[in-house]
Amino acid sequence: MLSKKIEDAFNEQLNKELFSAYLYLSMSSWCDSQNLGGMAQWMRLQAQEELQHAMKFYDFVLDRDGRVSLSQVDTPKRDWDLPLTVFDEAYDHEKMITNSINDLVNLSFEEKDHAAVAFLQWFVTEQVEEEATVQRIADKLRMVEGDKVATLMLDNELSQRTQAGDEAE
Ligand code: FEO
């Protein structure tokens, strides 16, 4: 059985993961509008991965005899000026998610909920990869800034990602 504090915090994280999916889908549609199909594909798969993260929290709350509470998902931003801004903002978003996961770990220790601590370890590891991958793409975009051919080559590289768990980076 989950404590009320853990149940509320996990439901909040479920909402954050759903918002992440929404944000990355919006980023995907913007990339598509700029004819950057590889980046659009990468972000679309990232959105799917975030849905998987959301469902991990959903299932954990249910498995622990908690109550899932779905709340309104915020409207994501719709427009960006450059692909670099998209990936820089995705990196900032992942850093926010990492802090949020760390807060959940701290809360789980305070509540002496060992199952929650164990469950969250997957996310602690995952966030290292999430941050590193998106930062690498942002750094490459910074290197090729203003070079359309190099940007298209990078776009092509990102189109190699074929599934949600695969980063193509
Ligand atoms: Fe669910 Fe990108 O962290």
Side-chain angles (χ1 to χ4, degrees), residues 114-128:
H114 294 250
V117 170
F119 167 80
L120 289 166
Q121 293 316 298
W122 184 89
F123 282 93
V124 170
T125 307
E126 172 72 4
Q127 280 311 119
V128 174

Side-chain angles (χ1 to χ4, degrees), residues 17 24 46 50 53 94 97 127 130:
E17 300 292 345
Y24 293 148
Q46 191 61 28
E50 297 301 348
H53 294 174
E94 286 302 331
I97 293 290
Q127 280 311 119
E130 293 273 273

Side-chain angles (χ1 to χ4, degrees), residues 5-20:
K5 273 190 189 173
I6 297 271
E7 185 183 84
D8 288 348
F10 273 47
N11 275 313
E12 245 177 71
Q13 188 65 34
L14 167 55
N15 182 274
K16 285 179 190 172
E17 300 292 345
L18 289 173
F19 175 73
S20 301

Side-chain angles (χ1 to χ4, degrees), residues 10 60 64 104-110 112-122 124:
F10 273 47
F60 183 80
R64 298 286 309 284
L104 287 182
V105 174
N106 291 336
L107 177 67
S108 301
F109 275 120
E110 278 166 29
K112 299 185 171 52
D113 188 331
H114 294 250
V117 170
F119 167 80
L120 289 166
Q121 293 316 298
W122 184 89
V124 170

Side-chain angles (χ1 to χ4, degrees), residues 3 9 15 30 32 36 39 41 58 60 65 73-74 87 96 101 120 126 136 138-139 143 151-152 154-155 163-164:
S3 73
N15 182 274
W30 182 83
D32 200 59
L36 295 165
M39 293 182 201
Q41 159 82 351
Y58 180 98
F60 183 80
D65 204 20
V73 180
D74 288 342
F87 280 88
M96 183 279 286
I101 296 288
L120 289 166
E126 172 72 4
R136 268 199 297 274
D139 285 346
M143 275 189 267
T151 301
L152 285 174
L154 181 54
D155 186 63
Q163 51 187 330

